[in-house]
Amino acid sequence: MTTETTNPVTINAPEGLPFVDIEREFDAPVAAVFAAHRDPELVRQWLGPNGYEMRIERWDFRPQGGYRYVHRDPEGNEYRFNGTFHSVRENEFAVQTFEFEGAPDIVSVESMTFEDLGNGRTRLRGHSVYPSLEARDAMVEHGMATGVTEGYARLDALLAG
């Protein structure tokens, strides 16, 4: 799948605050973007960096649901992630926890807002809160921007197909 896109990702990690804000527009309706986050088969096709395989062990995108998945890089290294979906409002909003199992006990709280821009376009806004500035900085320094940017480019291709 191509990773070319005209919709840039904006990632803001404000100095001195344990937050990350991510914003990205998609040339697809809100319902399609939301479905690509809800349906584990679709999630598997776009989430994460290019070249990684994804195995979803659990994906229950509903209030009090949860997830666990494994990314495998081209060298065979595995990275496991898990969390709980706390709030999910169809085509509008979701709140989840996020934990990289390689750094246990560091759990972020993330919200996603799905905004209908009209004309079949969507703005997705994410806000992540980390337990410390150090935890936030570690996530940023370990390739978060690459995974988000490449994943959203693949999501573009999936939505266009």
Side-chain angles (χ1 to χ4, degrees), residues 51-127:
Y52 282 50
E53 293 178 19
M54 183 178 190
R55 184 178 73 247
I56 296 178
E57 297 177 356
R58 182 170 46 112
W59 193 269
D60 189 12
F61 193 68
R62 63 175 181 82
Q64 289 77 52
Y67 67 91
R68 185 169 193 260
Y69 62 87
V70 180
H71 273 136
R72 175 178 282 162
D73 71 17
E75 291 78 38
N77 300 304
E78 292 190 344
Y79 308 93
R80 291 172 173 76
F81 303 88
N82 73 78
T84 301
F85 297 109
H86 292 268
S87 298
V88 176
R89 289 196 311 267
E90 185 85 12
N91 299 330
E92 291 180 19
F93 184 73
V95 174
Q96 68 185 45
T97 59
F98 177 87
E99 180 178 18
F100 167 51
E101 293 179 10
D105 304 328
I106 298 177
V107 178
S108 62
V109 177
E110 304 179 339
S111 63
M112 294 178 287
T113 303
F114 300 79
E115 180 183 354
D116 186 347
L117 298 175
N119 298 317
R121 299 192 76 243
T122 301
R123 177 179 296 123
L124 179 60
R125 289 191 175 124
H127 178 72

Side-chain angles (χ1 to χ4, degrees), residues 11 16 30 34 58 93 112 134 153 157:
I11 299 174
V30 166
F34 189 85
R58 182 170 46 112
F93 184 73
M112 294 178 287
E134 294 77 18

